[in-house]
Amino acid sequence: MAKPELSIGEVLRILRAEFSGVTISKLRFLEAEGLVSPARTASGYRKFSADDVERLRYVLTAQRDQYLPLKVIKEHLGAIDRGLRPAVAGPPVAPSAPSAGPRADDFGATGIELRLTRAELLAAAGVSAELLGELESHGLVVADGKHYGGDAIVVAQAAAELAAYGIEPRHLRPFRTAADREVGLIEQVTGPRRTEQTEQLAALTVRLHTALVRSRLPR
Amino acid sequence: MAKPELSIGEVLRILRAEFSGVTISKLRFLEAEGLVSPARTASGYRKFSADDVERLRYVLTAQRDQYLPLKVIKEHLGAIDRGLRPAVAGPPVAPSAPSAGPRADDFGATGIELRLTRAELLAAAGVSAELLGELESHGLVVADGKHYGGDAIVVAQAAAELAAYGIEPRHLRPFRTAADREVGLIEQVTGPRRTEQTEQLAALTVRLHTALVRSRLPR
DNA sequence: CCGGGCCTCAACCGCTGATCGAGGGTTGGG
DNA sequence: CCCAACCCTCGATCAGCGGTTGAGGCCCGG
């Protein structure tokens, strides 16, 4: 028998060994919330695969050790399912303790690494191939081989909206330059590999940039 | 050296710049839960010190970015008070790699224009007068007469954190230049008065900038 | 054919994390 | 002295999350 599929009661006994607070009703609840989707027998009994159990273990661990809300755990699982990888916010800077503590903030709403074809990008951003071409020629959007990252969507959309104000891609070159310089500065500190620290630093510089722009807008 | 002590309303305005969901009643609630203990005037008014504000910032950040329950945050603060560093669990091992998604506050949800004295700015940002002086000499923070805007807090804090990575104010000049150019572009479109449209455009360009930086970070 | 296991669905629950309002004092400017 | 704006406490209330409970009923092995 290659794949033993377990009944809910069996799963319960397995997980009980590791997590004290688990009950049958909780497992059913987690299914109702969309965190696992066990198969069913013809008569409606749940059949849990080894993967399902693994998934439950993930959920219960995240809940117990990180206090994450189910909603967030669900998003993480969704990302994992799509073969994408998310990232965790570190602890805030301790008050009155200026150690270089990590601090995550509004940098990147998804944390998901996306890989899109050109066609997918056009569809996702809802822009014309022409605009995208211009953006590429000015170095505002770059493909990595045949694929574009998720940020390209945001860039393209923003560019499209700006075009409605009469601001064309060629006017946006300075943004590219500024971004390059910013990244250069970051790499000088953290080196050429992308780490947790890289992200934190980027979040910081972006925050700085945003505040600076705000502060310089007319009163 | 007279440390400026802030009333609850002042604290509110300061924290609003950074955290959208904070209210007076929430601040009082957090005191009731034992997360901060501001001093009181003879007549019973709360007086928040710079440390209190920092503590609140820690609480709000931990809540927003790590979804920690207040109970846990309180324990962490207790540990920090005793000179320890709080233990933080990493993400579960299960179905895949590290992760996570902080949320995106938008560009300017504040509404109210903050006006701070130099002392208030120092207290709110928790930075040294020296750092602030340097920032001013490089044009990163500017006073409008005797007062500073709320963005100055964010600028100063970001600069302080960057300093911990060895990035000094003088390295930040290009940010000023970039911000100036960005604002210049915006003003070319919307004119020299600050309107709804100015804000929208600024939000757009900042979004563009952020996405560009992200897209250019090493893979 | 019986008993334990499993099913659904709706109602209920306790806790967290606040919010609200009544009723009333404080402060500062005119 | 007055008024507006601000601040106070305390108790009631609330919404959402994360489940639990129970009624009523089917399924399956011995």
Side-chain angles (χ1 to χ4, degrees), chain B residues 49-125:
Chain B
S49 69
D51 278 2
D52 291 328
V53 175
E54 240 183 296
R55 224 176 149 83
L56 285 168
R57 221 193 295 279
Y58 180 91
V59 171
L60 294 169
T61 308
Q63 226 184 1
R64 186 190 59 188
D65 295 348
Q66 293 187 259
Y67 308 95
L68 294 185
L70 293 184
K71 208 172 34 176
V72 172
I73 298 173
K74 188 177 173 183
E75 281 165 23
H76 287 195
L77 283 171
I80 290 166
D81 287 345
R82 264 169 273 125
L84 307 171
R85 73 170 50 187
V88 185
V93 216
S96 194
S99 92
R103 65 187 52 273
D105 264 0
D106 55 73
F107 180 66
T110 68
I112 311 160
E113 180 86 15
L114 209 50
R115 306 192 77 229
L116 303 162
T117 64
R118 189 184 178 84
E120 285 172 338
L121 173 56
L122 288 171

Side-chain angles (χ1 to χ4, degrees), chain A residues 66 86-88 104 180 214 216 219, chain B residues 65 91 98-100 113 180 216:
Chain A
Q66 294 190 197
V88 179
D180 279 339
R214 281 184 64 81
R216 304 183 111 69
R219 294 283 116 211
Chain B
D65 295 348
S99 92
E113 180 86 15
D180 279 339
R216 304 183 109 69

Side-chain angles (χ1 to χ4, degrees), chain A residues 172-212:
Chain A
L172 302 179
R173 283 206 85 123
F175 285 80
R176 184 208 153 170
T177 314
D180 279 339
R181 267 204 273 265
E182 199 162 321
V183 172
L185 180 66
I186 293 166
E187 287 185 7
Q188 252 176 272
V189 175
T190 69
R193 296 251 320 129
R194 182 173 188 153
T195 65
E196 184 83 1
Q197 208 191 28
T198 314
E199 310 252 4
Q200 278 158 19
L201 214 41
L204 254 176
T205 62
V206 162
R207 193 139 60 90
L208 174 67
H209 174 91
T210 302
L212 277 174

Side-chain angles (χ1 to χ4, degrees), chain B residues 153-171:
Chain B
I153 301 175
V154 181
V155 172
Q157 280 175 347
E161 289 189 54
L162 288 167
Y165 288 98
I167 300 175
E168 288 163 45
R170 63 194 165 84
H171 300 125

Side-chain angles (χ1 to χ4, degrees), chain B residues 27-40:
Chain B
L27 296 179
R28 291 205 263 246
F29 174 75
L30 292 176
E31 183 189 9
E33 294 298 302
L35 290 153
V36 262
S37 303
R40 300 293 186 125

